[in-house]
Amino acid sequence: MDGIRETFAGMPWWVKWVAVPLLVLFVFGGVITSILGALIGFLFKLLLLVALVGGLIFVVKKFTGGGTKSSSGDW
């Protein structure tokens, strides 16, 4: 690991902060994109599930009379 640090220590700033990250994105860009896409898709589906379950609970309470006034101790 010290050899890598010594090698990078002798490089100009633009190699460490511009060229190397661009090479990483070029090589691993497809993997990064697929991981981000899967994560965003999972979060969207989770949000959709929460909204659908909330809507179902709302509709069931509305039509079964669960939305009527109840005692203050009940939820």
Side-chain angles (χ1 to χ4, degrees), residues 9 14 16 24 38 41 48 50 54 58 68-69 71 75:
W14 59 270
K16 291 186 270 189
V24 170
L48 182 64
V50 168
F58 175 76
T68 61
K69 255 189 168 175
S71 65
W75 284 76

Side-chain angles (χ1 to χ4, degrees), residues 7 9 13 15 17 20 22 26 33-34 36 40 45 51 53 59 63-64 66 71 75:
T7 303
W13 68 269
V15 172
W17 299 106
V20 172
L22 284 177
F26 178 73
T33 304
S34 64
L36 285 176
I40 291 170
K45 288 179 182 180
V53 169
V59 167
F63 287 111
T64 59
S71 65
W75 284 76

Side-chain angles (χ1 to χ4, degrees), residues 8-60:
F8 275 111
M11 296 289 169
W13 68 269
W14 59 270
V15 172
K16 291 186 270 189
W17 299 106
V18 176
V20 172
L22 284 177
L23 285 174
V24 170
L25 283 176
F26 178 73
V27 173
F28 294 107
V31 175
I32 294 169
T33 304
S34 64
I35 290 172
L36 285 176
L39 182 63
I40 291 170
F42 175 75
L43 290 175
F44 175 75
K45 288 179 182 180
L46 184 65
L47 183 63
L48 182 64
L49 175 67
V50 168
L52 289 173
V53 169
L56 179 65
I57 291 171
F58 175 76
V59 167
V60 168

